[in-house]
Amino acid sequence: MMVESASETIRTTPSNQNGISSLSSQSDGGGGREGGSKGDTNGEISPVDLLHLQQQQALQAARQFLLQQASGLNSPGNELKQSPVQVPVSMAMMSPQMITPQQMQQILSPPQLQALLQQQQALMLQQVTHTHTHSHTHTSWSQSHCSMSGCQLGTKQLAFQQQLIQMQQLQQQHILNLQRQGLVPLQPTATMQSLQQAMCPSDLQQLWKEVSGVQSSEEALKQAEGLDLSTNSSNSTSVFPKAASTHIALHSLANGQSHTPKRDSHEEHASSHPLYGHGECKWPGCEALCEDMGQFIKHLNNEHALDDRSTAQCRVQMQVVQQLEIQLAKESERLQAMMAHLHMRPSEPKPFNQPLNLASSGSLIKRDSEAYPEGLPHPPTSAATPITPLRQGPSVISSSSLHTHSHSHTHGVGPIRRRNSDKYCTPIASELAQNCEFYKNADVRPPFTYASLIRHAILESPDRQLTLNEIYNWFTRKFAYFRRNTATWKNAVRHNLSLHKCFVRVENVKGAVWTVDEVEYQKRRPPKMTGSPTLVKNMISGLGFGSLNASYQAALAESSLSLLNSPSLLTSPASLNMLHVGHDDVSSTVEQVNSNGSCSPTLSPQQYSHQVHVKEEPTELEEDSRPVSLLAGVTHSLPLPSDERDLEEDLPTEELE
DNA sequence: AGCTTCCTAAACATTT
DNA sequence: TAAATGTTTAGGAAGC
């Protein structure tokens, strides 16, 4: 019975005369000695022992054959064919993870080999101890171990060390081979692609076949005794992913050798099963054809029940998955480093509370300032990281500073396009805060409009007013890009200051300063969403807000929180109005929600606008002195009134320059 | 296609 | 007077 199993096992492997011949000699000798060994131990061979012996013989034969086959499959340059004597097959039998070095070399990618090697070393040490204290009859089946069984521990350890050394050599050889074949890049870290290539299906299949042949004596014993090991078969099969399960046109060794009658465990299988597909069992190394789900389940329970073999297969599968995960982690780490190098945000998992330190300027953008309306996508991030899941949607796509030079005018200063960004946008403060160093040092155009930059510069200033020259300085200080083509962009700045109503020129004793009329700024674009809480909410929950990354959302949440928590907000109609009009970016959208959804009744923009003096609407207030909203900033250096602060959208508390 | 926004350029006026 | 500052117009590009 087990003999049949063994023969079938051998038969199902691809024919390899050399392998078989060598296999025969090996297993024959081993078997003979095993009998003697058993006799020495028990005096007679029980039926169970006989079964065990036969099974182990068969398994050993299969293993040796595989070993030979693996050696034969090695590339011609691989001279590390291993003599069977050097392979502690018995150890492999005892430890399901144990795979012959040749097969490892063929099956696993370098990182996998690395991990497996380490694990194997540990197992070997275990086995050394184990062998030293116990007499393992089943381990003496193989010729190699038969000789070892009579040796002292030191000899065994030496053999194991040789084994380890050889495995390491094989591993290196394997790497070289793969590199020669172009399967593995010359870099130390293989890419996922190379990993997949290295772990081609046939390799994995071999691995599984090998593992399928691994059965402990305990299992043989249990099988002989008809023990039911399948009680947890469903768990054993479902718990482990079949990430690397493969389909190979080879018949499974396992199919032929497992004759253990297994009880049907009542697995609850739906119409589909992860291990069943295309009419065949997808258990690693098994390709048994199953006409239907019922048959498959029966097959699963019979052939892949909870036993040592299945456990070993699961272990290998786990290792495969583990290795893949490790590899994934490495690659992810590399990606992070790459992105970090390119100043891409996902690479810099900054905590939200990261100080927004604009060191060079000596100014700090408070997190409150992240609520600034305005904003454009994170340029470096969006520009080159289509993979980042955090920044999808319109805000991501917009112009990036990395490509702005590609179009338009022949000058070095390309247009600052805002497009989508202005609508869903990233708060400029957040953007700048997180990439201030980038913009400071890289000659990259910020993806913000002149207007938004000017506004930000003004709002960032302690008094929310800047002279033209101060605005210039802010530009050059914050952006390396604006340290050249000064005539062009300065002209643009002046042009924007004059053109946009949102910028209010205020005469000062020392000259003129520029301030921001927030209402006008918000009015720059059609208030598509103004006053519509539903739309706002939809936007937030949907495309716009949902497309923001976590930090942005956190910033927005915090900004909205600060708004809600702001006593002045609740007491200042002007603030509410101001919030109400915001529409062109996320922060203002949030504010809208706050005002429309959770705060007091909204007031019309007009109610607020009277406090702000727009250029084309000079009023008596402006005539006699200056707008109320500007008074505080211009005439006093005092903290802004609460309404003013709210009006300015959570402006940073002054601690700048 | 038309509208809007933005950018760039430039001319011109005003202020320092 | 020159430079800085401010205003305005024009044209092109791009998105909607």
Side-chain angles (χ1 to χ4, degrees):
Chain A
M1 167 167 147
M2 296 309 292
V3 173
E4 278 184 17
S5 164
S7 62
E8 171 141 357
T9 298
I10 296 171
R11 193 168 53 244
T12 53
T13 57
S15 64
N16 182 325
Q17 293 306 321
N18 293 334
I20 289 176
S21 62
S22 118
L23 160 73
S24 307
S25 61
Q26 297 291 329
S27 60
D28 285 347
R33 278 180 216 113
E34 170 64 21
S37 170
K38 282 297 247 184
D40 294 343
T41 304
N42 296 335
E44 65 179 19
I45 300 174
S46 68
V48 169
D49 290 337
L50 183 57
L51 274 174
H52 180 198
L53 182 145
Q54 290 171 338
Q55 182 183 40
Q56 294 300 332
Q57 266 187 307
L59 293 175
Q60 173 61 19
R63 177 176 297 279
Q64 293 298 331
F65 172 67
L66 284 172
L67 186 147
Q68 292 293 329
Q69 185 189 25
S71 299
L73 289 174
N74 281 341
S75 62
N78 182 6
E79 306 298 334
L80 293 175
K81 293 183 181 179
Q82 203 170 12
S83 74
V85 178
Q86 292 175 290
V87 181
V89 180
S90 60
M91 305 311 291
M93 290 180 178
M94 294 170 62
S95 55
Q97 301 91 331
M98 189 62 187
I99 301 165
T100 61
Q102 286 88 349
Q103 287 180 299
M104 269 198 199
Q105 182 184 4
Q106 283 223 334
I107 290 163
L108 300 176
S109 63
Q112 287 178 306
L113 284 172
Q114 188 79 31
L116 288 177
L117 185 62
Q118 294 171 357
Q119 193 167 6
Q120 190 172 7
Q121 288 173 353
L123 287 168
M124 283 180 174
L125 290 176
Q126 270 187 327
Q127 290 300 331
V128 167
T129 307
H130 194 53
T131 310
H132 183 59
T133 54
H134 301 83
S135 174
H136 280 269
T137 58
H138 69 280
T139 58
S140 59
W141 283 106
S142 73
Q143 183 180 22
S144 58
H145 192 271
C146 186
S147 60
M148 289 171 60
S149 65
C151 298
Q152 297 302 315
L153 176 61
T155 306
K156 295 172 186 172
Q157 286 176 325
L158 181 60
F160 291 144
Q161 287 176 352
Q162 290 173 347
Q163 166 77 8
L164 290 176
I165 293 171
Q166 194 159 21
M167 286 183 63
Q168 289 170 343
Q169 292 171 345
L170 285 167
Q171 181 181 6
Q172 294 174 354
Q173 186 70 29
H174 179 66
I175 295 171
L176 293 175
N177 288 340
L178 290 177
Q179 287 174 347
R180 270 199 296 269
Q181 299 164 14
L183 297 179
V184 173
L186 294 179
Q187 290 175 279
T189 305
T191 63
M192 284 301 292
Q193 185 182 5
S194 66
L195 178 65
Q196 290 171 344
Q197 287 173 328
M199 294 179 62
C200 63
S202 58
D203 290 340
L204 285 173
Q205 184 73 8
Q206 248 186 319
L207 171 62
W208 289 122
K209 289 189 190 315
E210 174 66 16
V211 175
S212 297
V214 176
Q215 254 180 327
S216 70
S217 59
E218 289 80 8
E219 184 192 357
L221 189 62
K222 289 171 184 175
Q223 285 180 344
E225 295 172 354
L227 296 180
D228 188 352
L229 303 175
S230 63
T231 51
N232 288 326
S233 62
S234 62
N235 289 337
S236 69
T237 57
S238 60
V239 162
F240 301 98
K242 62 180 268 312
S245 69
T246 58
H247 312 269
I248 292 298
L250 296 174
H251 288 135
S252 167
L253 291 170
N255 287 342
Q257 72 180 27
S258 179
H259 293 245
T260 306
K262 302 290 198 269
R263 308 294 177 269
D264 282 342
S265 64
H266 302 286
E267 295 184 22
E268 295 301 326
H269 290 285
S271 57
S272 64
H273 191 286
L275 291 174
Y276 180 68
H278 299 91
E280 63 182 23
C281 174
K282 297 201 170 184
W283 184 275
C286 175
E287 289 180 323
L289 297 176
C290 303
E291 293 178 1
D292 53 23
M293 182 60 70
Q295 187 176 350
F296 163 72
I297 291 182
K298 190 174 181 179
H299 160 81
L300 197 62
N301 290 333
N302 288 336
E303 306 297 332
H304 308 301
L306 176 59
D307 53 25
D308 289 0
R309 179 169 57 91
S310 297
T311 303
Q313 290 172 324
C314 284
R315 285 184 186 174
V316 173
Q317 180 69 20
M318 288 174 68
Q319 288 184 350
V320 170
V321 173
Q322 204 170 19
Q323 285 303 317
L324 288 171
E325 288 174 345
I326 291 171
Q327 189 66 27
L328 175 63
K330 286 181 181 176
E331 296 301 328
S332 297
E333 189 176 1
R334 194 199 308 199
L335 173 64
Q336 296 286 321
M338 291 167 65
M339 295 171 73
H341 174 69
L342 297 175
H343 301 269
M344 294 170 176
R345 177 145 23 163
S347 58
E348 310 166 22
K350 307 174 185 176
F352 171 67
N353 286 336
Q354 172 196 11
L356 308 175
N357 194 351
L358 305 177
S360 72
S361 65
S363 66
L364 291 173
I365 300 178
K366 302 289 192 62
R367 277 185 297 165
D368 284 351
S369 68
E370 295 186 4
Y372 284 11
E374 183 64 39
L376 294 149
H378 192 281
T381 302
S382 60
T385 54
I387 58 173
T388 170
L390 297 179
R391 308 202 54 155
Q392 306 166 354
S395 65
V396 182
I397 312 163
S398 67
S399 68
S400 152
S401 57
L402 298 182
H403 349 125
T404 46
H405 297 279
S406 61
H407 63 280
S408 98
H409 312 277
T410 57
H411 312 282
V413 179
I416 305 175
R417 290 295 171 192
R418 42 103 181 90
R419 300 318 164 202
N420 299 332
S421 47
D422 266 359
K423 297 201 173 163
Y424 304 106
C425 52
T426 305
I428 185 174
S430 173
E431 167 70 21
L432 291 181
Q434 296 191 22
N435 297 282
C436 62
E437 289 301 322
F438 174 77
Y439 292 123
K440 226 179 280 181
N441 301 315
D443 188 16
V444 168
R445 177 168 208 144
F448 307 104
T449 64
Y450 280 114
S452 61
L453 288 171
I454 294 167
R455 173 179 171 273
H456 185 78
I458 293 172
L459 296 183
E460 190 183 280
S461 66
D463 297 328
R464 281 159 204 144
Q465 55 177 325
L466 289 177
T467 65
L468 179 64
N469 196 49
E470 288 171 335
I471 294 173
Y472 289 161
N473 292 336
W474 185 88
F475 271 70
T476 54
R477 197 173 56 233
K478 300 284 188 183
F479 305 97
Y481 179 82
F482 291 123
R483 288 167 201 151
R484 58 186 180 87
N485 301 102
T486 58
T488 300
W489 66 262
K490 283 182 177 179
N491 184 31
V493 167
R494 291 195 306 272
H495 166 76
N496 276 266
L497 284 171
S498 293
L499 188 66
H500 297 305
K501 300 171 188 172
C502 60
F503 298 119
V504 182
R505 183 174 178 272
V506 178
E507 291 291 337
N508 200 349
V509 288
K510 297 181 290 186
V513 293
W514 290 94
T515 61
V516 176
D517 182 341
E518 200 59 42
V519 171
E520 283 300 323
Y521 183 84
Q522 301 299 337
K523 282 203 277 188
R524 285 185 306 142
R525 281 180 282 298
K528 297 172 186 175
M529 302 177 62
T530 299
S532 171
T534 302
L535 284 176
V536 171
K537 285 179 182 176
N538 289 341
M539 178 180 174
I540 290 175
S541 61
L543 175 64
F545 199 65
S547 66
L548 297 175
N549 68 22
S551 64
Y552 280 17
Q553 296 190 29
L556 295 173
E558 176 167 303
S559 68
S560 64
L561 190 64
S562 66
L563 285 170
L564 290 172
N565 292 336
S566 169
S568 60
L569 173 68
L570 300 176
T571 57
S572 169
S575 304
L576 295 174
N577 285 312
M578 201 291 297
L579 298 176
H580 179 72
V581 296
H583 61 80
D584 66 342
D585 62 16
V586 176
S587 59
S588 53
T589 303
V590 172
E591 290 156 3
Q592 280 183 302
V593 169
N594 292 335
S595 60
N596 293 332
S598 57
C599 289
S600 57
T602 60
L603 301 176
S604 70
Q606 288 70 28
Q607 284 175 282
Y608 167 74
S609 65
H610 76 276
Q611 300 185 33
V612 176
H613 290 255
V614 184
K615 276 189 267 189
E616 75 279 12
E617 299 173 358
T619 66
E620 58 284 357
L621 277 175
E622 190 171 75
E623 292 300 324
D624 67 354
S625 59
R626 48 185 63 88
V628 172
S629 63
L630 302 175
L631 270 175
V634 174
T635 59
H636 337 306
S637 294
L638 302 175
L640 290 169
S642 57
D643 55 348
E644 170 80 354
R645 295 171 65 80
D646 294 322
L647 188 154
E648 298 290 347
E649 291 179 73
D650 280 352
L651 288 180
T653 56
E654 298 67 21
E655 67 178 72
L656 316 179
E657 355 246 337

